Amino acid sequence: MAASRKTAGDRAKEATGKMREGAGKAKQAFEDHVVDPARRVGEAVKASGEKVAEQNKAVGLKMIDQAEANAREAFAAMRAAAVAKDLSDVMKIQGDFLREQSNRSMAHAREVGELIMQFGRDAVGTMKGSAGKG
């Protein structure tokens, strides 16, 4: 009968073991449900920030290219106006330049708008992708 009886020390060891096991399960659950999702969100935010920086650079370069093209066209129109034979030629050159400038501006705005829309689609896809991993 003495062999089947547990001592207070045995019961304490058993209780301590169960407490450690419970603490381990709680820690794992916390990591699975709080720490890991937070880590994934942090990684997604970091990746998104890097993507935004790249996209800002692309938009900036596109706008510089467009400004350069506008300047070349403006100087070409000024050269043409400088060698025009009469006032009607100057007026035609200016009218052509303004019409072409308007078309270029619309095309440039469309290009930049398309870039920005693509960046938005990419950002949504990145966020959906990281949300789906949870």
Side-chain angles (χ1 to χ4, degrees), residues 107-118:
H108 293 169
R110 194 170 25 259
E111 288 175 24
V112 170
E114 287 171 3
L115 273 176
I116 291 170
M117 286 178 17
Q118 183 59 49

Side-chain angles (χ1 to χ4, degrees), residues 4 6-7 16 22 25-26 38 42-43 45 69 84 92 98 106 112 115 125 127:
S4 66
K6 292 183 183 177
T7 65
T16 302
K25 287 180 182 178
E43 290 168 356
V45 167
K92 181 184 179 320
L98 290 174
M106 294 290 284
V112 170
L115 273 176
M127 294 309 285

Side-chain angles (χ1 to χ4, degrees), residues 12-78:
K13 285 180 183 178
E14 190 177 297
T16 302
K18 287 182 181 181
M19 287 174 61
R20 282 191 181 130
E21 183 181 326
K25 287 180 182 178
K27 179 182 175 193
Q28 188 61 48
F30 181 77
E31 287 182 8
D32 291 347
H33 298 290
V34 176
V35 175
D36 289 343
R39 185 177 301 124
R40 283 193 300 274
V41 168
E43 290 168 356
V45 167
K46 180 182 176 192
S48 180
E50 291 169 352
K51 191 111 177 143
V52 166
E54 290 174 21
Q55 294 164 347
N56 284 341
K57 179 180 174 183
V59 169
L61 290 173
K62 176 62 76 177
M63 292 175 77
I64 289 169
D65 290 344
Q66 292 171 350
E68 186 178 5
N70 288 340
R72 273 195 310 271
E73 294 300 322
F75 281 109
M78 286 189 279

